Amino acid sequence: MLTNYIKIAWRNLLRNKAFSAINIVGLALGLATCLLISLFLLDELSYDRYNAKANRIVRIVFHGVMNGGEINEASIMPPVAQTLKTDYPEVEEATRIRTAGSPAITVGEKTFRDNQLAYVDSNFFQVFTLPLIRGDAKTALNQPGTAVITQEMARKFFGNENPIGKSLLIKSWNTPFRITGLIDKVPTNSHFHFDMFMSMADVSDAKSPSWMTSSYYTYLVLPDGYDPKQLEAKLPQMVNKYMGPQIQQAFGMSMSQFRQKGNDLSFRLQPLTDIHLHSNITAELAPNGDVQYVYIFGAIALFMLLIACINFMNLSTAGASKRAKEVGIRKVMGSLRQSLTYQFLIESLLLTMLALVLAVGIVYLALPLFNELAGKTLALNFGDRVWLFPGLLLLGVLVGILAGSYPAFFLSSFKPIAVLKSTKFTGDRKSISLRSGLVVVQFSISIILMIGTTVVYRQLSYIQNKKLGYSKEQVLVLSDTWQLNQKEEVFRNQILQDPRVVSVSTSGYLPAGPSYSNNFMVYPETNASQLVKTLRYDVDYEYIPTLGMQLSAGRNFSREYGTDSSGVILNETAVKTFGWNNTALGRTITHSENDGKRKTYRVVGVVKDFHFRSLHESISPLVMTLGRNNGTVIIKAKTKDMSGLLASMEKEWKKFAPDAPFMYSFLDKRFNDTYLAEQKTGRILGIFAGLTIFVACLGLFGLATFTAEQRTKEIGVRKVLGASVTSIVAMLSKDFLKLVAIAIVLATPMAWYAMNKWLQAFAYKIDITWWMLILAGALAVVIALLTVSFQSIKAALMNPVKSLRSE
């Protein structure tokens, strides 16, 4: 019986090639989209789960409120890890990471600087599951000057030789490291990515007792089944016991007095598996994902699949007239409704399985492009994922039953007498109403995605064009200029002589992309109770003019003033935070050093607010002090021949450091890279929105075809009676346009609400204006009209003699 069902299903598929093609293509696109997004979501949800102790590891983060400003940081103080291990028996292990950047590493004549380095505690590899291929995980980092590297890094420096016992030299530190361990690599679905792990024994302040500086990422291993909230509830006691005395020493007030002023300092615990999608704090080890995008793309996958299933249901029920007599004859010949239902479900499953095969092919072809857009390395690997093949089959069966169930029950319910005595069966009002409702659902989803895509692109455009408070165009950033040693200043003066160079500054504090970072706790005048956490930039005399920043009061640092070593320039937000408004010049701020000593700075200028962090965050208080930190040179150029200028600078560089690589970047690109996640999301959303609309239009095209076929005689009569082609096209199109209009009314408020929620993640954002909503609605109408009009015009141009004779 099953063989017979499949034979009949195959014959019907071949007999209705257009109907079958539309259904197979629509379902294949829906399944391919669903599969692609599922691979993306599985990757996002798998972050850090490769660790054997993933469910027991938590990261401890710092939270504070100071003078109304909120602090949320991933890096914390040096002694926290050991304190927790000693004072709280539920802490089984505590380990730390301290980032070390990507300095140039030399082995013999080979020098590379594209490696990410970190210092870690000796028990790091007992906490995180990064098995050593060579070396002992327990002892590899016990001694100073030791390091564990990845296989890729080992091949780069040593080829196929065994790297254990060999040395690497970090020139800028003048420090050799002996390799004592080798790992494969850090998995891509990890919240940190390093190529070289060095012993924490080499870090001078790793055992510092200071609770006032933070640069360590700290992780704890808790007992299996232990609720981290229990430990978190005990952490205020630790703050009072250890941080309290240092607050007293630095600011002359107890913790209770500190809190009475509205301030607070605390620690919170973050499950390891929550970091990638749920952490929204500063100083992360790598850019995080966003659980909002997991929900958005998950919804798109479901919507796409739903639209494809709706197409199938609509086309099957609309094409009922072609199968009506077949059903009637089968019933007269004794077929039961149950067997007819099975027959139609088999047809649905056959179409779905064909679509599934096509969908897998589409995924294989689309994965390279999707990986490039999403910044992933996803693969559809049936060998590594044994559940994938049965999972796909189950998905095909579920989609086939979901899409085919209503048409199967609908077609098998026809009454033999009704369908055999009528010349043309058109179905009942319920089926027509259902089809209309499903079309509304399809276009509602499409309009929501169109509005969403428009808002995302407008927000990205706003970010790109917003006045930032500094100039990012034609600004070059030269990295690792410490390699010039004592000749850095000579090199700087040399390139200043080029007429294409406007100005040059030496500072690693950059308003876009990776930058030095230095927290600075200060209070205004002598008011220690008004403690404010600021960011400190060490800059030289040329920093402000090189970056095109504007002063709103006072002056820039100047060589004419010997007292500027104890002067500061504040941003406008810092002035407001101190409550000084227009009276900041000449006032003082005080900083408490780690040794308890205090240093006072006098305000010499106020710089207009500029964005030195992502536009997701509001501008925070900033303090600029006079000082030069070697290693980065910022160059403001004015030329159309940028490649010529770069070649000239590289030539000068080679005179002073012939063996060192000439590394540069553009400030505008560093800025754009900050919003790569949003840019990728916008592109992916646009592609999937386009696919959703295309699949919806496939269904609409099929429905228009069937509608035109059912009304062939009516069109012929109208043409004989004098109806114009325009009036017939309008008649056939208006019913569909009414459905699109209803979809616009339903979708617009939902899209407005959803995108407003998305925009809340930005401190600086656009308003969703009426024209965005109208544009999406107008596009939906135009797309629907173009889709329907082809069949409408074809039907209207048909010779009435042929259409009436065929009836």
Side-chain angles (χ1 to χ4, degrees), residues 447-448 450-459 462 747-762 764-776:
I447 291 162
I448 288 171
M450 280 194 283
I451 293 173
T453 304
T454 304
V455 171
V456 169
Y457 275 102
R458 288 294 300 169
Q459 175 64 16
Y462 171 78
T748 301
M750 288 190 284
W752 180 87
Y753 175 78
M755 295 317 296
N756 256 319
K757 291 283 285 182
W758 178 76
L759 287 170
Q760 296 308 311
F762 293 88
Y764 305 91
K765 54 185 178 289
I766 61 167
D767 293 320
I768 300 177
T769 52
W770 59 269
W771 70 263
M772 297 180 193
L773 308 177
I774 290 175
L775 177 65

Short mmCIF file of all heavy atoms in Angstrom, two decimals, residues 447-448 450-459 462 747-762 764-776:
data_model
loop_
_atom_site.label_atom_id
_atom_site.label_comp_id
_atom_site.label_asym_id
_atom_site.label_seq_id
_atom_site.Cartn_x
_atom_site.Cartn_y
_atom_site.Cartn_z
N ILE A 447 6.81 42.20 6.59
CA ILE A 447 6.83 43.65 6.88
C ILE A 447 7.62 43.92 8.16
O ILE A 447 8.39 44.89 8.24
CB ILE A 447 5.39 44.20 6.97
CG1 ILE A 447 4.75 44.18 5.58
CG2 ILE A 447 5.37 45.62 7.53
CD1 ILE A 447 3.24 44.28 5.59
N ILE A 448 7.45 43.06 9.17
CA ILE A 448 8.22 43.21 10.41
C ILE A 448 9.72 43.15 10.12
O ILE A 448 10.51 43.96 10.61
CB ILE A 448 7.82 42.12 11.43
CG1 ILE A 448 6.42 42.40 11.99
CG2 ILE A 448 8.83 42.05 12.58
CD1 ILE A 448 5.84 41.28 12.83
N MET A 450 11.17 43.78 7.22
CA MET A 450 11.56 44.95 6.42
C MET A 450 11.78 46.16 7.32
O MET A 450 12.76 46.90 7.17
CB MET A 450 10.51 45.24 5.36
CG MET A 450 10.60 44.35 4.13
SD MET A 450 9.62 44.96 2.74
CE MET A 450 7.99 44.49 3.23
N ILE A 451 10.88 46.37 8.26
CA ILE A 451 11.02 47.51 9.19
C ILE A 451 12.26 47.31 10.05
O ILE A 451 13.05 48.25 10.26
CB ILE A 451 9.76 47.66 10.06
CG1 ILE A 451 8.56 48.09 9.20
CG2 ILE A 451 10.00 48.67 11.19
CD1 ILE A 451 7.24 48.11 9.94
N GLY A 452 12.46 46.07 10.53
CA GLY A 452 13.64 45.78 11.35
C GLY A 452 14.93 46.06 10.60
O GLY A 452 15.86 46.68 11.14
N THR A 453 14.99 45.62 9.35
CA THR A 453 16.20 45.84 8.54
C THR A 453 16.44 47.33 8.32
O THR A 453 17.58 47.82 8.41
CB THR A 453 16.06 45.13 7.18
OG1 THR A 453 15.79 43.74 7.40
CG2 THR A 453 17.32 45.28 6.35
N THR A 454 15.37 48.07 8.05
CA THR A 454 15.49 49.52 7.83
C THR A 454 16.04 50.22 9.08
O THR A 454 16.95 51.06 8.98
CB THR A 454 14.12 50.13 7.46
OG1 THR A 454 13.60 49.47 6.32
CG2 THR A 454 14.23 51.62 7.17
N VAL A 455 15.51 49.85 10.24
CA VAL A 455 15.94 50.48 11.50
C VAL A 455 17.41 50.15 11.78
O VAL A 455 18.20 51.03 12.17
CB VAL A 455 15.05 50.03 12.67
CG1 VAL A 455 15.62 50.50 14.01
CG2 VAL A 455 13.64 50.57 12.50
N VAL A 456 17.81 48.87 11.56
CA VAL A 456 19.20 48.48 11.81
C VAL A 456 20.14 49.27 10.92
O VAL A 456 21.16 49.82 11.38
CB VAL A 456 19.38 46.96 11.58
CG1 VAL A 456 20.87 46.60 11.56
CG2 VAL A 456 18.67 46.16 12.66
N TYR A 457 19.82 49.38 9.64
CA TYR A 457 20.69 50.12 8.72
C TYR A 457 20.72 51.61 9.04
O TYR A 457 21.77 52.26 8.94
CB TYR A 457 20.25 49.89 7.27
CG TYR A 457 20.83 48.63 6.68
CD1 TYR A 457 20.07 47.48 6.56
CD2 TYR A 457 22.16 48.58 6.27
CE1 TYR A 457 20.62 46.31 6.04
CE2 TYR A 457 22.71 47.43 5.74
CZ TYR A 457 21.93 46.29 5.63
OH TYR A 457 22.49 45.14 5.12
N ARG A 458 19.60 52.17 9.46
CA ARG A 458 19.57 53.60 9.82
C ARG A 458 20.41 53.84 11.08
O ARG A 458 21.12 54.85 11.17
CB ARG A 458 18.12 54.05 10.07
CG ARG A 458 17.29 54.17 8.81
CD ARG A 458 17.78 55.29 7.89
NE ARG A 458 17.75 56.58 8.53
CZ ARG A 458 18.31 57.68 8.04
NH1 ARG A 458 18.97 57.61 6.90
NH2 ARG A 458 18.24 58.83 8.67
N GLN A 459 20.33 52.94 12.05
CA GLN A 459 21.12 53.09 13.27
C GLN A 459 22.62 52.99 12.96
O GLN A 459 23.43 53.77 13.47
CB GLN A 459 20.72 52.03 14.30
CG GLN A 459 21.55 52.00 15.57
CD GLN A 459 21.43 53.28 16.40
OE1 GLN A 459 20.53 54.08 16.21
NE2 GLN A 459 22.36 53.47 17.33
N TYR A 462 23.66 56.13 11.36
CA TYR A 462 23.74 57.19 12.39
C TYR A 462 25.08 57.10 13.13
O TYR A 462 25.75 58.11 13.36
CB TYR A 462 22.58 57.02 13.36
CG TYR A 462 22.66 57.90 14.59
CD1 TYR A 462 22.32 59.24 14.53
CD2 TYR A 462 23.06 57.37 15.82
CE1 TYR A 462 22.39 60.04 15.67
CE2 TYR A 462 23.14 58.16 16.95
CZ TYR A 462 22.79 59.49 16.87
OH TYR A 462 22.87 60.28 17.98
N ALA A 747 1.30 44.42 11.41
CA ALA A 747 2.75 44.29 11.59
C ALA A 747 3.41 45.56 12.10
O ALA A 747 4.39 45.49 12.86
CB ALA A 747 3.39 43.86 10.27
N THR A 748 2.91 46.72 11.68
CA THR A 748 3.60 47.98 12.00
C THR A 748 3.78 48.21 13.50
O THR A 748 4.91 48.48 13.94
CB THR A 748 2.85 49.17 11.35
OG1 THR A 748 2.82 48.96 9.93
CG2 THR A 748 3.54 50.47 11.65
N PRO A 749 2.73 48.11 14.33
CA PRO A 749 2.96 48.34 15.78
C PRO A 749 3.88 47.29 16.40
O PRO A 749 4.67 47.62 17.29
CB PRO A 749 1.55 48.29 16.38
CG PRO A 749 0.69 47.61 15.36
CD PRO A 749 1.30 47.91 14.04
N MET A 750 3.79 46.04 15.93
CA MET A 750 4.66 45.00 16.49
C MET A 750 6.12 45.29 16.16
O MET A 750 7.01 45.15 17.01
CB MET A 750 4.25 43.62 15.94
CG MET A 750 2.93 43.11 16.51
SD MET A 750 2.61 41.37 16.09
CE MET A 750 2.11 41.52 14.38
N ALA A 751 6.38 45.68 14.91
CA ALA A 751 7.75 46.00 14.49
C ALA A 751 8.28 47.21 15.25
O ALA A 751 9.45 47.24 15.67
CB ALA A 751 7.80 46.24 12.99
N TRP A 752 7.44 48.23 15.41
CA TRP A 752 7.84 49.45 16.13
C TRP A 752 8.25 49.11 17.56
O TRP A 752 9.29 49.57 18.05
CB TRP A 752 6.69 50.45 16.14
CG TRP A 752 7.00 51.73 16.86
CD1 TRP A 752 7.60 52.84 16.36
CD2 TRP A 752 6.75 52.01 18.25
NE1 TRP A 752 7.74 53.80 17.33
CE2 TRP A 752 7.24 53.32 18.51
CE3 TRP A 752 6.18 51.30 19.29
CZ2 TRP A 752 7.14 53.92 19.76
CZ3 TRP A 752 6.10 51.88 20.54
CH2 TRP A 752 6.58 53.17 20.77
N TYR A 753 7.46 48.27 18.23
CA TYR A 753 7.76 47.89 19.62
C TYR A 753 9.07 47.09 19.70
O TYR A 753 9.93 47.38 20.53
CB TYR A 753 6.60 47.06 20.19
CG TYR A 753 6.87 46.51 21.57
CD1 TYR A 753 6.76 47.33 22.69
CD2 TYR A 753 7.27 45.18 21.75
CE1 TYR A 753 7.03 46.84 23.96
CE2 TYR A 753 7.54 44.69 23.01
CZ TYR A 753 7.41 45.51 24.11
OH TYR A 753 7.69 45.02 25.37
N ALA A 754 9.22 46.10 18.81
CA ALA A 754 10.40 45.23 18.84
C ALA A 754 11.68 46.03 18.58
O ALA A 754 12.70 45.84 19.26
CB ALA A 754 10.26 44.11 17.82
N MET A 755 11.65 46.92 17.59
CA MET A 755 12.87 47.67 17.25
C MET A 755 13.19 48.75 18.29
O MET A 755 14.36 49.09 18.49
CB MET A 755 12.75 48.28 15.86
CG MET A 755 12.66 47.24 14.75
SD MET A 755 13.84 45.85 14.93
CE MET A 755 15.41 46.69 14.79
N ASN A 756 12.17 49.27 18.95
CA ASN A 756 12.43 50.20 20.05
C ASN A 756 13.18 49.50 21.17
O ASN A 756 14.07 50.07 21.80
CB ASN A 756 11.12 50.78 20.58
CG ASN A 756 10.91 52.22 20.11
OD1 ASN A 756 11.84 53.01 20.10
ND2 ASN A 756 9.71 52.56 19.70
N LYS A 757 12.79 48.25 21.44
CA LYS A 757 13.47 47.46 22.46
C LYS A 757 14.94 47.24 22.06
O LYS A 757 15.84 47.33 22.90
CB LYS A 757 12.77 46.11 22.64
CG LYS A 757 11.40 46.19 23.28
CD LYS A 757 11.46 46.39 24.77
CE LYS A 757 11.86 45.14 25.50
NZ LYS A 757 11.89 45.34 26.97
N TRP A 758 15.18 46.95 20.77
CA TRP A 758 16.55 46.73 20.30
C TRP A 758 17.39 47.99 20.44
O TRP A 758 18.56 47.93 20.84
CB TRP A 758 16.51 46.27 18.84
CG TRP A 758 17.87 46.05 18.24
CD1 TRP A 758 18.70 44.99 18.46
CD2 TRP A 758 18.58 46.93 17.35
NE1 TRP A 758 19.88 45.14 17.75
CE2 TRP A 758 19.83 46.32 17.06
CE3 TRP A 758 18.28 48.16 16.75
CZ2 TRP A 758 20.76 46.91 16.20
CZ3 TRP A 758 19.21 48.74 15.90
CH2 TRP A 758 20.44 48.11 15.64
N LEU A 759 16.79 49.14 20.15
CA LEU A 759 17.53 50.40 20.22
C LEU A 759 17.91 50.80 21.65
O LEU A 759 18.80 51.62 21.84
CB LEU A 759 16.72 51.52 19.57
CG LEU A 759 16.62 51.50 18.04
CD1 LEU A 759 15.59 52.50 17.56
CD2 LEU A 759 17.98 51.79 17.40
N GLN A 760 17.22 50.22 22.64
CA GLN A 760 17.53 50.56 24.03
C GLN A 760 18.96 50.18 24.40
O GLN A 760 19.51 50.69 25.38
CB GLN A 760 16.55 49.86 24.99
CG GLN A 760 15.09 50.28 24.84
CD GLN A 760 14.91 51.79 24.89
OE1 GLN A 760 15.42 52.45 25.78
NE2 GLN A 760 14.18 52.32 23.92
N ALA A 761 19.58 49.27 23.64
CA ALA A 761 20.96 48.85 23.93
C ALA A 761 21.96 49.94 23.59
O ALA A 761 23.13 49.85 23.97
CB ALA A 761 21.29 47.57 23.16
N PHE A 762 21.54 50.97 22.86
CA PHE A 762 22.44 52.07 22.47
C PHE A 762 22.17 53.30 23.33
O PHE A 762 21.01 53.69 23.51
CB PHE A 762 22.23 52.44 21.00
CG PHE A 762 22.64 51.37 20.02
CD1 PHE A 762 21.75 50.38 19.64
CD2 PHE A 762 23.92 51.35 19.50
CE1 PHE A 762 22.12 49.38 18.76
CE2 PHE A 762 24.31 50.36 18.60
CZ PHE A 762 23.40 49.38 18.23
N TYR A 764 23.19 56.18 22.38
CA TYR A 764 22.93 57.19 21.35
C TYR A 764 22.26 56.50 20.18
O TYR A 764 22.85 55.60 19.57
CB TYR A 764 24.24 57.87 20.93
CG TYR A 764 24.99 58.45 22.11
CD1 TYR A 764 25.94 57.70 22.79
CD2 TYR A 764 24.71 59.73 22.57
CE1 TYR A 764 26.60 58.20 23.89
CE2 TYR A 764 25.37 60.26 23.66
CZ TYR A 764 26.31 59.49 24.32
OH TYR A 764 26.96 60.01 25.42
N LYS A 765 21.04 56.89 19.89
CA LYS A 765 20.25 56.13 18.92
C LYS A 765 19.32 57.04 18.13
O LYS A 765 19.04 58.18 18.51
CB LYS A 765 19.44 55.05 19.63
CG LYS A 765 18.55 55.57 20.77
CD LYS A 765 17.89 54.43 21.50
CE LYS A 765 17.06 54.94 22.67
NZ LYS A 765 17.86 55.44 23.78
N ILE A 766 18.81 56.48 17.03
CA ILE A 766 17.84 57.19 16.20
C ILE A 766 16.44 57.06 16.80
O ILE A 766 16.21 56.23 17.68
CB ILE A 766 17.82 56.63 14.77
CG1 ILE A 766 17.42 55.13 14.78
CG2 ILE A 766 19.16 56.82 14.09
CD1 ILE A 766 17.08 54.57 13.43
N ASP A 767 15.53 57.86 16.31
CA ASP A 767 14.10 57.67 16.60
C ASP A 767 13.49 56.96 15.40
O ASP A 767 13.83 57.22 14.25
CB ASP A 767 13.42 59.02 16.81
CG ASP A 767 13.90 59.72 18.07
OD1 ASP A 767 14.10 59.01 19.09
OD2 ASP A 767 14.11 60.95 18.03
N ILE A 768 12.56 56.06 15.68
CA ILE A 768 11.86 55.37 14.59
C ILE A 768 10.79 56.33 14.06
O ILE A 768 9.81 56.62 14.75
CB ILE A 768 11.22 54.05 15.07
CG1 ILE A 768 12.30 53.12 15.61
CG2 ILE A 768 10.46 53.37 13.93
CD1 ILE A 768 11.79 51.82 16.18
N THR A 769 11.00 56.84 12.87
CA THR A 769 10.11 57.86 12.32
C THR A 769 9.04 57.24 11.43
O THR A 769 9.16 56.08 11.00
CB THR A 769 10.92 58.89 11.52
OG1 THR A 769 11.73 58.22 10.56
CG2 THR A 769 11.82 59.70 12.44
N TRP A 770 8.01 58.02 11.14
CA TRP A 770 6.86 57.51 10.39
C TRP A 770 7.24 57.03 9.00
O TRP A 770 6.68 56.08 8.48
CB TRP A 770 5.80 58.62 10.28
CG TRP A 770 6.28 59.87 9.61
CD1 TRP A 770 6.84 60.95 10.20
CD2 TRP A 770 6.29 60.13 8.19
NE1 TRP A 770 7.20 61.90 9.28
CE2 TRP A 770 6.87 61.42 8.03
CE3 TRP A 770 5.88 59.45 7.07
CZ2 TRP A 770 7.03 62.01 6.78
CZ3 TRP A 770 6.04 60.03 5.81
CH2 TRP A 770 6.60 61.30 5.68
N TRP A 771 8.27 57.68 8.37
CA TRP A 771 8.58 57.32 6.99
C TRP A 771 9.16 55.91 6.89
O TRP A 771 9.00 55.23 5.87
CB TRP A 771 9.54 58.33 6.37
CG TRP A 771 10.95 58.32 6.91
CD1 TRP A 771 11.47 59.15 7.87
CD2 TRP A 771 12.01 57.44 6.52
NE1 TRP A 771 12.78 58.84 8.10
CE2 TRP A 771 13.14 57.79 7.28
CE3 TRP A 771 12.12 56.40 5.60
CZ2 TRP A 771 14.35 57.13 7.17
CZ3 TRP A 771 13.33 55.74 5.48
CH2 TRP A 771 14.43 56.10 6.25
N MET A 772 9.84 55.43 7.96
CA MET A 772 10.37 54.06 7.94
C MET A 772 9.23 53.04 7.87
O MET A 772 9.32 52.04 7.15
CB MET A 772 11.21 53.80 9.19
CG MET A 772 12.45 54.66 9.32
SD MET A 772 13.35 54.25 10.83
CE MET A 772 14.49 55.62 10.92
N LEU A 773 8.18 53.31 8.63
CA LEU A 773 7.02 52.41 8.66
C LEU A 773 6.28 52.46 7.33
O LEU A 773 5.87 51.42 6.79
CB LEU A 773 6.09 52.78 9.82
CG LEU A 773 6.76 52.90 11.20
CD1 LEU A 773 5.76 53.34 12.25
CD2 LEU A 773 7.39 51.58 11.60
N ILE A 774 6.11 53.68 6.80
CA ILE A 774 5.40 53.84 5.53
C ILE A 774 6.19 53.21 4.39
O ILE A 774 5.63 52.56 3.50
CB ILE A 774 5.12 55.33 5.24
CG1 ILE A 774 4.06 55.85 6.22
CG2 ILE A 774 4.67 55.55 3.80
CD1 ILE A 774 3.79 57.33 6.11
N LEU A 775 7.52 53.37 4.43
CA LEU A 775 8.37 52.79 3.38
C LEU A 775 8.21 51.27 3.33
O LEU A 775 8.07 50.68 2.25
CB LEU A 775 9.83 53.15 3.64
CG LEU A 775 10.86 52.54 2.67
CD1 LEU A 775 10.65 53.08 1.26
CD2 LEU A 775 12.28 52.83 3.14
N ALA A 776 8.24 50.61 4.50
CA ALA A 776 8.10 49.16 4.54
C ALA A 776 6.73 48.73 4.01
O ALA A 776 6.62 47.77 3.24
CB ALA A 776 8.29 48.65 5.98
#
